[in-house]
């Protein structure tokens, strides 16, 4: 019983995890889009929904790690699976943290920078899910193309972040 066949279900488990992160990123993007028009209770509901997705993500992450610890042969390196699962969980944790801080600090308005960053995060998560599907299909060329898309989105996010910081410190908050 010690030697078990290579477990291919990791791609399915990781896709399940990514589906949850995708729901969370989508919920957060909608939260940012609607934020200025929501009352305090409606904002709290968004934060609660995101928290629920974060808890579900923790459960999925623990299940994957537990399965990983019991599996002898994995479809890709065990360390790569572990790091991917942990980093994916970090994404949903960060989304929840930002949502919760908006509530705690009683923020009443978000700017275009935040809305745009939330859309980029959502697009990145969609690409990450696509990469898992492509990896399972062993389509390395398409994986490379998706990685380029993510890198482009990362560069766009860096530019938005830099513009937001410059705007903040110049005192001239502007639309993007």
């Amino acid at each position: 019983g010690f030697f078990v066949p290579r477990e291919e279900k990791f791609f399915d488990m990781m896709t399940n995890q990514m589906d949850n992160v995708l729901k969370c990123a989508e919920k957060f993007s909608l939260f940012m889009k609607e934020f200025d028009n929501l009352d305090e209770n409606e904002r709290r509901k968004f934060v609660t929904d995101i928290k629920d997705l974060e808890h579900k993500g923790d459960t999925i992450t623990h299940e994957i790690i537990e399965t990983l610890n019991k599996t002898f042969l994995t479809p890709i390196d065990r360390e790569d699976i572990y790091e991917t699962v942990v980093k994916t969980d970090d994404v949903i944790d960060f989304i929840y943290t930002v949502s919760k801080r908006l509530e705690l600090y009683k923020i009443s308005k978000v700017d275009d920078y935040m809305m745009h960053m939330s859309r980029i995060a959502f697009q990145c998560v969609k690409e990450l899910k696509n990469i898992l599907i492509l990896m399972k299909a062993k389509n390395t060329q398409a994986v490379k193309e998706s990685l380029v898309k993510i890198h482009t989105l990362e560069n766009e996010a860096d530019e938005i972040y830099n513009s937001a910081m410059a705007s903040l410190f110049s005192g001239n908050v502007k639309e993007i």
Side-chain angles (χ1 to χ4, degrees), residues 45 89 97 144 159 162:
K45 172 72 169 117
D89 185 60
T97 298
K144 290 177 188 176
E159 287 300 316
N162 290 333

Side-chain angles (χ1 to χ4, degrees), residues 25-26 28-30 32-33 91 95 98 110-125 152-165 176:
E26 183 176 33
F28 182 70
S29 185
L30 180 61
M32 291 298 94
K33 181 180 175 184
V91 170
I95 290 171
V98 170
V110 296
D111 59 22
D112 287 347
Y113 297 114
M114 287 191 67
M115 285 186 276
H116 199 65
M117 289 292 265
S118 70
R119 286 190 299 266
I120 290 173
F122 179 56
Q123 291 171 333
C124 285
V125 172
T152 301
L153 289 166
E154 178 188 7
N155 289 338
E156 185 180 345
D158 288 342
E159 287 300 316
I160 292 167
Y161 175 80
N162 290 333
S163 293
M165 294 306 289
I176 56 171

Side-chain angles (χ1 to χ4, degrees), residues 3-96:
F3 294 104
V4 282
R6 182 181 295 247
E7 289 287 341
E8 296 292 335
K9 66 182 170 186
F10 284 103
F11 286 114
D12 294 334
M13 294 173 78
M14 290 165 56
T15 299
N16 182 36
Q17 182 190 40
M18 191 58 68
D19 285 340
N20 189 58
V21 177
L22 188 59
K23 286 177 192 170
C24 187
E26 183 176 33
K27 177 67 89 172
F28 182 70
S29 185
L30 180 61
F31 185 35
M32 291 298 94
K33 181 180 175 184
E34 300 294 327
F35 192 88
D36 294 351
N37 300 319
L38 301 172
D39 65 29
E40 190 175 326
N41 289 329
E42 291 168 322
R43 289 179 185 155
R44 189 175 300 116
K45 172 72 169 117
F46 267 97
V47 174
T48 299
D49 291 348
I50 291 169
K51 181 181 181 179
D52 291 344
L53 291 166
E54 190 271 335
H55 283 304
K56 181 179 178 183
D58 288 342
T59 301
I60 294 168
T61 297
H62 293 300
E63 288 172 0
I64 294 171
I65 291 172
E66 185 177 309
T67 303
L68 183 63
N69 290 334
K70 294 178 181 177
T71 303
F72 185 72
L73 293 173
T74 58
I76 56 177
D77 287 341
R78 153 180 328 280
E79 294 81 15
D80 292 339
I81 292 172
Y82 179 82
E83 188 168 348
T84 300
V85 167
V86 169
K87 296 289 184 188
T88 302
D89 185 60
D90 288 347
V91 170
I92 203 167
D93 290 342
F94 291 137
I95 290 171
Y96 171 64

